[in-house]
């Protein structure tokens, strides 16, 4: 009895000793992990610690979750120091096992989530850029951020991981919402974390770079100013010898370089950037996991300062650093494409200052390799290809430039991929450097003697958002629109004239079932033409305040310029002479590019008193427009012939501020043409967005007698002003219809705005792409009298016909426009008739 009691005492004492020893060991391990993290113990102690923790986990400890958590922490610290792929793989596996050990509801679950989120972000950055890792990190951590946390700092750590994942996903996918949310969370992290927290510098630097992305997307200088402030703070608080010091100073150099460029080459900011970047390089250790990134950032900083300050020595330093980097960089390195991009840019800048042909060869070789490197984002590939193309085109190296342009144009659909919503697609396509990309590519193809390729590039590089939308709606990939395809499927009786307006050259490409014919437009000098166009278009689009007489004078001068520079050479080349009978005039389809899409080419000519008879487009052809040549092919769905006259939907609105009442007088005239049950009127309070969209499906004709509202900076937000708001381009873009005729009696309904001009983001195009056969709109602010007369003439021509053709609609608008022109009291009344355009085939 006494022996058994003594044995129990011994067992209890042994258990207590073991428990005390285990707790002491755990505290010692926690202490060592903290000391390593704070930089107070040598990093080589981690190897022994990881080995010790591994054995401990494998020995079935009393608290396996705590032992696993310590191991995960040690692996994370060691990976950040070593950059070892083996540590990264193991960290990913162990963090997952830890999450399994601590399921939801366990007190340690949130800690496990924080470790897992951090591990997934590191796995994405160092493991080849698998988007699935970011998706898991965001879906795991984001829902928990609004819940209760046992310690505020734990939420901060999870929020930082989620924010990093969101910013990385933005860089990968391009979804603007991710960047906005990531910046918001990083601000919270930086504002909440204690000043003495060891990773504070890392968090501040990450926020600074995210704000730089915000600045690049919005061009809001406030984001850049905050980025500089946050990165300066990061550099100020990071300790010497810290593993985060190189990144903190490198990020500071990056944002200072952008600030210096924005400030027109501010020498103080650029010099500060150079010194920060050099400090980042000096702080590097041989085995630092971010060594490649820091050296690459140094190349970028030195080349930017070298270009803006014309310092060849800075560019020499950039090239020498790049040579060192490329010599030791594995070809499969995840950031090789980025490193090559900076190498190319530095060489190009040095070439600009010295003219050294070797620099040109280095730049082109690096750009070419980037565009063929796996893992390079669509954004980076497109940006690289365009830089290469521009560089070679400026040197008249047209073959090399064309190679680059083809890559750029074929990358555009990937940039605006279907995983993005429409606003993000348009935002990415609106980047200023890419405006006119397709036109420049086509001009380059013409300089190599390949007009068929020029047509193909123009078709592929324009209307990208519409092509994506149509493909998504039909679940069928669109056909490759090449010249042979167009010739085989051409569905109109006449020529389409692509007006290619480029910095390299300008031409009219006349496309038909017979092929393509090039009509050079040598009178157009790109820079001078832009100045002329915007000086006239500003008052016409409301960008510049002008009286009616001034607006008409600008319109008249613009039409004369368009005749002399574009229309007259085309009319002459095609042999279209003046004709008296509208029914005998040939049809033509205009397809202008870039800013010319805002010019009424159908009205080009000398219309004033004393002008030569027939010196106008209107006296020689009947004009229509098409946003892409694809819409003139048999790919458009066939329509069932109608046997009964069409029903008309009339939408009118009362007077709104600053505008007269356009709708009522038009409505009375149209109701007479479509009496009884042949019309439906939605007037004032009945003109609600949902009701209008629903009624559109049951009417073959629609007339909108309301005001148009175009947003020149964001055209998808433009639309028709109804009782409950604006029926926008974006809303109509998602509809599918088979209507015959839509008359948009409102201002600027055919105007796609001043961004994404080659995307045809207008109400007229939206209805055309949505399936309406014929759409009539206005390029500028429309004249009330002109609208009423044109609408009455067009609908009178089709009212009693069971199935009027698109040719009859086009000729009806043409006749009405000519009559308005001829009845105008003076040559000043150009805006009475010139803005109306017909889109259809």
């Amino acid at each position: 009895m006494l022996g058994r009691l003594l044995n129990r005492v011994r067992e209890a004492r042994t258990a207590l000793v073991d428990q005390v020893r285990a707790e002491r060991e755990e505290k010692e391990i926690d202490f060592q992990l903290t000391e390593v993290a704070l930089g107070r113990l040598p990093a080589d102690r981690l190897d022994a610690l990881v080995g010790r923790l591994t054995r401990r986990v494998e020995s079935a400890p009393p608290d396996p979750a705590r032992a696993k958590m310590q191991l995960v922490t040690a692996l994370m610290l060691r990976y950040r120091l070593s950059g070892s792929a083996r540590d990264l793989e193991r960290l990913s596996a162990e963090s997952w096992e830890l999450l399994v050990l601590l399921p939801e509801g366990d007190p340690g679950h949130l800690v496990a989530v924080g470790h897992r989120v951090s591990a997934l972000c590191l796995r994405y950055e160092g493991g080849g850029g698998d988007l699935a890792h970011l998706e898991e990190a965001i879906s795991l951590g984001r829902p928990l951020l609004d819940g209760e946390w046992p310690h505020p700092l734990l939420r901060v750590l999870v929020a930082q991981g989620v924010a990093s994942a969101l910013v990385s996903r933005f860089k990968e996918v391009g979804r603007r919402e991710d960047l906005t949310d990531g910046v918001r969370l990083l601000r919270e992290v930086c504002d909440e974390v204690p000043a003495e927290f060891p990773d504070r510098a890392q968090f501040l630097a990450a926020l600074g770079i995210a704000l730089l992305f915000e600045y690049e997307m919005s061009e809001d200088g406030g984001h850049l100013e905050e980025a500089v402030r946050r990165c300066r703070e990061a550099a100020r608080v990071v300790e010497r010898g810290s593993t985060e010091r190189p990144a903190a100073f490198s990020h500071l150099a990056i944002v200072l370089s952008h600030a210096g460029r924005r400030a027109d080459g501010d020498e103080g900011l650029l010099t500060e950037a150079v010194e920060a970047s050099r400090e980042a390089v000096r702080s590097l250790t041989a085995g630092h996991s971010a060594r490649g990134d820091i050296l690459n950032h140094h190349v970028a900083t030195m080349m930017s300062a070298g270009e803006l300050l014309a310092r060849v020595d800075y560019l020499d330093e950039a090239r020498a650093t790049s040579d060192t980097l490329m010599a030791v960089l594995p070809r499969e390195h995840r950031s090789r494409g980025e490193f090559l991009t900076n190498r190319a840019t530095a060489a190009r800048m040095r070439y600009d200052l010295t003219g050294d042909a070797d620099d040109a060869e280095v730049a082109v070789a690096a750009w070419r390799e980037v565009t063929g490197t796996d893992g390079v984002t669509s954004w980076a590939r497109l940006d690289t290809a365009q830089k290469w193309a521009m560089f070679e085109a400026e040197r008249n190296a047209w073959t090399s430039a064309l190679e680059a342009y083809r890559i750029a144009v074929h990358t555009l659909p990937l940039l605006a991929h279907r995983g993005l919503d429409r606003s993000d697609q348009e935002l990415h396509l609106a980047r200023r450097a890419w405006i006119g990309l397709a036109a420049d590519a086509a001009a380059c193809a013409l300089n190599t003697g390949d007009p068929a390729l020029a047509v193909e590039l123009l078709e592929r590089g324009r209307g990208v958002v519409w092509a994506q939308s149509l493909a998504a709606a039909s679940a069928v990939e669109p056909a490759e629109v090449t010249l042979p395809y167009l010739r085989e499927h051409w569905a109109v009786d006449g020529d389409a004239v692509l007006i290619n307006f480029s910095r390299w050259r300008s031409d009219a490409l006349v496309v038909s079932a017979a092929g393509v014919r090039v009509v050079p437009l040598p009178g157009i000098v790109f820079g001078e033409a832009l100045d002329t166009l915007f000086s006239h278009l500003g008052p016409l689009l409301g960008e510049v305040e002008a009286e009616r007489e001034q607006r008409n004078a600008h319109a008249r001068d613009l039409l004369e310029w368009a005749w002399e520079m574009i229309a007259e050479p085309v009319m002459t080349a095609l042999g279209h002479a003046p004709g008296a009978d509208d029914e005998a005039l040939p049809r033509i389809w205009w397809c202008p590019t870039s800013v010319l899409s805002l010019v009424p080419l159908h009205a080009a000519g000398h219309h004033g008193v004393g002008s030569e008879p027939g010196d106008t487009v209107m006296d020689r052809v009947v004009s229509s427009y098409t946003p892409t040549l694809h819409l003139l092919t048999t790919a458009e769905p066939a329509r069932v012939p109608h046997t009964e006259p069409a029903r008309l939907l009339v939408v009118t609105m009362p007077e709104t501020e600053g505008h007269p009442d356009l709708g009522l007088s038009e409505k009375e005239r149209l109701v007479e043409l479509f009496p009884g049950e042949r019309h439906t009127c939605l007037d004032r309070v009945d003109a609600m967005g949902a009701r209008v969209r629903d009624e559109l499906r049951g009417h073959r004709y629609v007339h909108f007698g309301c005001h148009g509202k175009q947003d020149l900076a964001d055209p998808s937000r433009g639309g028709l002003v109804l009782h409950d708001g604006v029926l926008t381009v974006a809303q109509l873009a998602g509809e599918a219809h088979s209507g015959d005729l839509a008359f948009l009696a409102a201002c600027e309904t055919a105007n796609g705005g001043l961004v994404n001009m080659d995307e045809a983001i207008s109400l007229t195009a939206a209805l055309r792409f949505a399936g309406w056969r014929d759409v009539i709109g206005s390029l500028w602010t429309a004249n009330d009298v002109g609208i009423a007369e044109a609408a009455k003439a067009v609908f009178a021509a089709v009212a009693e016909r069971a199935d009027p053709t698109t040719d009859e609609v086009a000729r009806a608008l043409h006749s009405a426009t000519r009559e308005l022109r001829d009845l105008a009291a003076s040559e000043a009344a150009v805006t009475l008739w010139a803005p109306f355009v017909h889109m259809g085939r």
Side-chain angles (χ1 to χ4, degrees):
M1 183 77 167
L2 181 61
R4 287 198 300 271
L5 181 61
L6 289 173
N7 285 336
R8 287 178 182 173
V9 170
R10 292 190 191 98
E11 290 172 358
R13 185 177 62 183
T14 301
L16 181 60
V17 169
D18 289 344
Q19 181 181 349
V20 171
R21 183 182 295 117
E23 289 178 354
R24 185 180 300 158
E25 182 181 17
E26 287 176 350
K27 289 180 180 179
E28 179 193 354
I29 291 170
D30 286 339
F31 173 77
Q32 291 188 37
L33 289 171
T34 302
E35 292 296 289
V36 172
L38 294 174
R40 292 198 285 257
L41 280 181
D44 57 11
R45 293 281 293 274
L46 271 174
D47 291 337
L49 191 56
V50 168
R52 179 181 174 185
L53 287 168
T54 300
R55 292 188 294 273
R56 194 158 182 268
V57 166
E58 292 172 348
S59 66
D63 190 346
R66 184 173 181 184
K68 179 75 75 172
M69 191 172 294
Q70 290 174 326
L71 176 58
V72 169
T73 303
L75 287 169
M76 191 172 298
L77 287 171
R78 191 167 75 172
Y79 170 70
R80 283 178 169 165
L81 292 172
S82 70
S84 165
R86 183 177 300 175
D87 279 347
L88 183 61
E89 288 289 337
R90 190 173 173 200
L91 172 62
S92 179
E94 299 285 0
S95 67
W96 169 250
E97 291 179 10
L98 175 63
L99 196 62
V100 172
L101 282 172
L102 297 170
E104 191 171 353
D106 189 286
H109 175 71
L110 294 175
V111 180
V113 168
H115 281 306
R116 180 61 178 165
V117 169
S118 297
L120 287 165
C121 291
L122 293 173
R123 183 75 186 276
Y124 169 80
E125 294 169 2
D130 188 342
L131 191 61
H133 296 136
L134 297 180
E135 302 286 0
E136 184 182 346
I138 294 167
S139 63
L140 183 63
R142 196 175 196 174
L144 302 178
L145 293 179
D146 294 329
E148 295 294 327
W149 292 80
H151 193 286
L153 189 58
L154 183 57
R155 181 192 180 278
V156 163
L157 295 175
V158 174
Q160 195 276 335
V162 172
S164 296
L166 286 167
V167 174
S168 295
R169 190 168 71 176
F170 162 76
K171 291 162 62 178
E172 182 78 23
V173 178
R175 191 176 296 119
R176 181 67 184 276
E177 181 184 2
D178 283 344
L179 179 59
T180 302
D181 288 350
V183 168
R184 176 182 57 79
L185 285 173
L186 284 170
R187 279 199 182 106
E188 291 178 7
V189 165
C190 291
D191 293 342
E192 293 175 14
V193 74
E196 68 278 6
F197 191 75
D199 286 339
R200 179 172 169 75
Q202 175 192 344
F203 298 165
L204 287 165
L207 173 56
I209 294 302
L211 286 164
L212 179 60
F213 293 145
E214 276 279 27
Y215 163 70
E216 290 178 336
M217 297 302 294
S218 67
E219 298 187 357
D220 181 349
H223 292 311
L224 184 56
E225 291 171 6
E226 184 183 355
V228 171
R229 177 168 57 83
R230 298 285 190 172
C231 285
R232 277 177 172 156
E233 185 181 357
R236 187 168 58 251
V237 303
V238 71
E239 295 183 2
R240 290 190 177 276
S242 167
T243 57
E244 298 300 332
R245 187 174 181 85
F249 276 87
S250 182
H251 289 168
L252 174 60
I254 292 170
V255 298
L256 286 169
S257 294
H258 281 79
R261 182 174 295 278
R262 184 171 186 267
D264 296 324
D266 184 285
E267 185 172 359
L269 289 170
L270 294 170
T271 301
E272 183 184 355
V274 168
E275 290 307 313
S277 189
R278 286 173 172 166
E279 173 60 23
V281 174
R282 284 193 295 268
S283 302
L284 279 173
T285 57
H288 197 288
S289 61
R291 181 177 178 82
D293 291 326
I294 302 301
L295 291 176
N296 182 51
H297 293 163
H298 186 57
V299 174
T301 300
M302 299 310 297
M303 71 185 186
S304 183
E307 178 192 37
L308 293 170
L309 301 177
R311 292 280 298 266
V312 176
D313 58 325
Y314 283 179
L315 295 174
D316 288 342
E317 186 173 342
R319 179 164 177 177
T321 304
S322 177
D323 288 344
T324 299
L325 181 60
M326 300 309 295
V328 300
L329 184 73
R331 292 194 63 84
E332 65 277 8
H333 193 284
R334 61 183 173 83
S335 299
R336 184 176 179 85
E338 182 183 346
F339 298 167
L340 284 165
T341 297
N342 281 341
R343 177 176 176 80
T345 306
R348 194 270 299 167
M349 290 175 177
R350 192 175 187 282
Y351 171 82
D352 290 343
L353 290 177
T354 67
D356 188 337
D358 182 54
D359 285 326
E361 292 180 9
V362 169
V364 172
W367 279 322
R368 180 178 280 114
E369 186 176 346
V370 171
T371 60
T373 298
D374 292 337
V376 172
T377 65
S378 300
W379 185 95
R381 180 173 285 106
L382 177 59
D383 188 52
T384 299
Q386 197 209 23
K387 288 176 180 175
W388 167 17
M390 292 282 288
F391 178 73
E392 290 290 68
E394 288 169 353
R395 301 196 308 145
N396 296 323
W398 299 113
T399 301
S400 177
L402 181 58
E403 179 186 354
Y405 271 128
R406 294 184 74 168
I407 294 170
V409 170
H410 281 71
T411 305
L412 276 175
L414 301 177
L415 187 74
H417 60 86
R418 295 173 213 166
L420 299 175
D421 62 31
R422 187 182 179 90
S423 62
D424 282 334
Q425 289 177 330
E426 292 174 13
L427 179 65
H428 288 300
L429 291 173
R431 297 296 292 272
R432 288 184 175 180
W434 300 331
I435 292 174
L437 173 63
D440 287 345
C444 193
L446 292 174
N447 279 333
T448 64
D450 196 340
L453 179 58
V455 171
E456 176 188 329
L457 291 170
L458 283 169
E459 280 294 286
R460 190 175 186 90
R462 299 163 58 254
V464 174
V465 172
W466 291 118
Q468 299 283 50
S469 298
L470 293 174
S474 64
V476 176
E477 289 297 324
E480 187 79 13
V481 182
T482 62
L483 187 61
Y485 175 89
L486 291 171
R487 294 182 65 180
E488 181 181 352
H489 296 87
W490 200 247
V492 296
D493 184 15
D495 300 313
V497 183
L498 270 164
I499 307 298
N500 195 55
F501 181 57
S502 164
R503 72 194 74 213
W504 310 129
R505 59 182 285 175
S506 293
D507 302 85
L509 303 178
V510 182
V511 181
S512 68
V516 60
R517 176 182 176 185
V518 180
V519 180
L521 303 175
I524 296 180
V525 178
F526 188 72
E528 295 177 5
L530 282 177
D531 291 341
T532 298
L533 288 166
F534 283 114
S535 68
H536 294 316
L537 288 170
L540 295 170
L541 297 174
E543 288 286 284
V544 177
E545 290 189 14
E547 299 294 333
R548 178 175 294 236
E549 290 185 3
Q550 292 177 310
R551 293 180 62 253
N552 277 293
H554 280 290
R556 183 187 65 243
D557 292 344
L558 178 61
L559 297 185
E560 292 178 356
W561 179 91
W563 170 258
E564 293 165 2
M565 297 294 114
I566 301 171
E568 193 281 332
V570 171
M571 296 293 105
T572 299
L574 296 180
H576 293 323
D581 184 2
D582 279 358
E583 297 302 318
L585 293 180
R587 294 277 307 279
I588 196 171
W589 285 263
W590 297 102
C591 188
T593 63
S594 188
V595 67
L596 293 179
S597 61
L598 303 174
V599 178
L601 296 173
H602 68 282
H606 293 272
H607 298 278
V609 176
S611 301
E612 291 293 326
D615 277 356
T616 71
V617 172
M618 297 173 63
D619 294 320
R620 301 187 182 214
V621 296
V622 174
S623 295
S624 296
Y625 289 80
T626 185
T628 66
L629 298 185
H630 188 248
L631 287 176
L632 301 181
T633 68
T634 53
E636 191 168 333
R639 296 175 182 273
V640 178
H642 298 288
T643 58
E644 298 293 332
R647 297 180 67 238
L648 170 68
L649 172 66
V650 182
V651 182
T652 59
M653 279 295 297
E655 183 176 352
T656 57
E657 183 179 354
H659 297 282
D661 187 343
L662 298 183
L664 297 181
S665 62
E666 295 172 46
K667 181 184 73 172
E668 293 167 357
R669 295 184 179 197
L670 296 176
V671 166
E672 293 176 358
L673 296 171
F674 295 83
E677 296 182 355
R678 290 191 58 202
H679 73 267
T680 300
C681 290
L682 299 180
D683 183 24
R684 292 182 168 86
V685 295
D686 293 327
M688 308 283 279
R691 174 78 184 279
V692 169
R693 293 166 70 181
D694 184 61
E695 291 287 353
L696 283 174
R697 299 181 179 89
H699 293 79
R700 285 169 49 201
Y701 298 162
V702 61
H703 177 268
F704 285 99
C706 47
H707 298 289
K709 179 183 178 182
Q710 180 57 293
D711 187 330
L712 296 177
D714 188 358
S716 276
R717 295 176 60 186
L720 296 165
V721 180
L722 302 179
H723 182 73
D724 59 344
V726 178
L727 179 59
T728 66
V729 171
Q731 290 171 322
L732 289 171
E735 304 286 341
H737 295 279
S738 57
D740 287 348
L741 171 60
F743 197 116
L744 299 167
C747 302
E748 299 181 358
T749 49
N751 173 2
L754 298 179
V755 297
N756 284 330
M757 286 182 281
D758 281 334
E759 288 301 299
I761 304 172
S762 68
L763 278 169
T764 306
L767 289 173
R768 181 74 182 97
F769 278 111
W772 287 81
R773 189 191 67 184
D774 297 290
V775 188
I776 295 171
S778 175
L779 283 169
W780 313 326
T781 300
N783 181 285
D784 307 347
V785 176
I787 285 176
E789 293 301 323
K792 181 180 179 182
V794 170
F795 282 110
V798 301
E800 299 305 321
R801 302 291 304 276
D803 201 16
T805 66
T806 190
D807 183 74
E808 290 171 319
V809 173
R811 292 185 186 277
L813 178 64
H814 176 84
S815 296
T817 305
R818 278 223 307 194
E819 289 179 13
L820 284 169
R821 179 198 65 174
D822 296 342
L823 290 172
S826 72
E827 62 179 283
V830 178
T831 54
L832 175 69
W833 51 269
F836 304 118
V837 299
H838 169 259
M839 189 173 288
R841 70 182 194 183

